[in-house]
Amino acid sequence: MSYIESLRLFIRVVDLGSITSGGRDLRLTPAVASKRVKELEAHLGVRLFNRTTRSLSPTEVGKVFYGEARKVLATLDSAEARVANFSDHPRGVIRVTAPLGAGRRIIAPLVPQFVDTYPETEVRMRLSDRKVDIMADGLDVAFFIGSPGDSTLKLRKIMDCDRVLCAAPSYLAEFGTPESPEDLMHGKANCLLLRFPRSPEYFWVLQTPDGPRKFEVEGKYDADDGDVLTAWALDGRGIINKPRFDVADHLRDGSLVEVLPDTPPAPSMFGCLYPHKKLLDPKIRAFVDFIVERGAPRLDPEI
């Protein structure tokens, strides 16, 4: 198994661009990760990486070995998944990613319950509001809120999540309450935007009497962390467009007030993506089913 684990380490080092990062991803110290890479190179009799003080990149033979090693591990993972179907006990590591809001409030609280139910499993979560590359990042399941985009991955829709525009009473008292979607445009309102490289959210889609319509809103603040936007809104800095479950407590206690309730944002899909081969793996099916059964009710708060 040590050679197989060395192959996994080699692939993660190439994917992440450093031995330290690749080792950390597999819970190895930098010293142990570096030693395993050197042992792999010694075993193969070739140099797999070009090393400088500032960068690490695969050699030409390293690139060839990377492609073949991925095929080997993919075949091995598929074989293990097929064998696992003969067992009633899901086991092994599950690598999961999710948006910050849903990850913290919906999925993370359920992870310990899942592991208690299936004690032979391990769950490793990565939370980010950015879109991730499931294959490149070595993930098993990626939960999302919004549009999955074009993908060759298997999609499982969990439910549609209502969204809401809201702001703090202090902001509305100072700048006024928008009376129509047009009041969000041309600098009339300070809209707090979720933005990151290649982010699609440079506009808000609202449900108008004429159907869904895009509004190119503007604002002085943007961030790649949805919770930061909520904090700014609570501080009276502007209007946010959030899944209702994500701000339900603030709406209940009045620290945020719904804006333009007659033309709310279009709902967002909550779902997950995973490689087709993961359909064979009982631990992945069990985890997704567990989250769907226990997590979906939390996404539909009654305000």
Side-chain angles (χ1 to χ4, degrees):
M1 292 299 293
S2 61
Y3 184 72
I4 296 299
E5 294 310 310
S6 293
L7 290 184
R8 294 190 189 279
L9 172 63
F10 167 70
I11 288 172
R12 295 309 288 148
V13 169
V14 174
D15 289 341
L16 299 176
S18 83
I19 291 176
T20 298
S21 297
R24 185 185 300 118
D25 191 63
L26 296 177
R27 299 185 178 179
L28 300 174
T29 66
V32 170
S34 180
K35 179 182 178 181
R36 287 197 180 180
V37 169
K38 291 178 180 178
E39 289 175 347
L40 184 60
E41 290 180 319
H43 173 77
L44 296 171
V46 296
R47 186 162 50 89
L48 295 172
F49 293 102
N50 292 313
R51 298 171 174 84
T52 69
T53 56
R54 294 186 177 182
S55 66
L56 182 80
S57 61
T59 61
E60 286 303 312
V61 68
K63 293 176 182 177
V64 172
F65 188 66
Y66 172 82
E68 297 302 318
R70 286 191 70 98
K71 293 178 185 177
V72 169
L73 291 182
T75 299
L76 179 61
D77 289 343
S78 177
E80 289 183 347
R82 288 181 179 274
V83 170
N85 275 290
F86 291 93
S87 170
D88 294 329
H89 305 288
R91 58 185 300 175
V93 175
I94 306 171
R95 295 174 175 84
V96 182
T97 187
L100 290 166
R104 288 170 177 162
R105 283 176 273 284
I106 305 299
I107 299 171
L110 296 174
V111 167
Q113 299 176 33
F114 176 81
V115 176
D116 287 345
T117 303
Y118 302 103
E120 294 184 76
T121 62
E122 300 177 23
V123 178
R124 300 178 186 174
M125 285 193 68
R126 303 290 183 268
L127 302 184
S128 174
D129 281 331
R130 296 182 176 223
K131 290 189 179 296
V132 298
D133 187 326
I134 297 176
M135 304 303 291
D137 291 341
L139 298 165
D140 297 310
V141 184
F143 291 91
F144 67 90
I145 292 180
S147 170
D150 295 330
S151 177
T152 58
L153 300 170
K154 179 68 176 178
L155 166 66
R156 178 167 179 179
K157 179 179 177 179
I158 298 174
M159 65 180 297
D160 286 324
C161 296
D162 287 339
R163 299 184 71 93
V164 59
L165 300 181
C166 53
S170 59
Y171 171 85
L172 299 176
E174 182 174 357
F175 298 100
T177 300
E179 296 181 357
S180 71
E182 285 73 20
D183 290 339
L184 300 175
M185 304 170 65
H186 310 303
K188 297 178 183 178
N190 194 36
C191 298
L192 306 175
L193 304 175
L194 182 68
R195 285 186 173 178
F196 44 85
R198 296 177 298 279
S199 168
E201 294 196 31
Y202 290 89
F203 54 82
W204 287 349
V205 179
L206 304 186
Q207 302 180 79
T208 73
D210 299 322
R213 179 181 165 193
K214 293 182 180 180
F215 291 86
E216 296 181 359
V217 297
E218 302 173 359
K220 296 180 179 180
Y221 307 99
D222 65 61
D224 64 356
D225 182 330
D227 283 354
V228 168
L229 300 183
T230 301
W232 285 340
L234 290 168
D235 194 39
R237 301 297 177 174
I239 300 172
I240 51 173
N241 177 346
K242 300 281 288 186
R244 186 175 288 272
F245 80 87
D246 212 4
V247 291
D249 290 341
H250 302 306
L251 292 171
R252 288 192 187 99
D253 65 22
S255 54
L256 291 176
V257 177
E258 185 169 0
V259 174
L260 298 175
D262 294 332
T263 53
S268 292
M269 181 194 302
F270 177 60
C272 64
L273 295 167
Y274 43 97
H276 282 264
K277 66 180 181 180
K278 297 299 181 181
L279 289 170
L280 300 172
D281 195 328
K283 70 176 182 288
I284 305 301
R285 292 201 309 269
F287 182 77
V288 173
D289 288 345
F290 193 92
I291 298 300
V292 170
E293 179 182 343
R294 292 164 175 78
R298 301 186 184 194
L299 291 164
D300 190 22
E302 295 182 3
I303 304 301

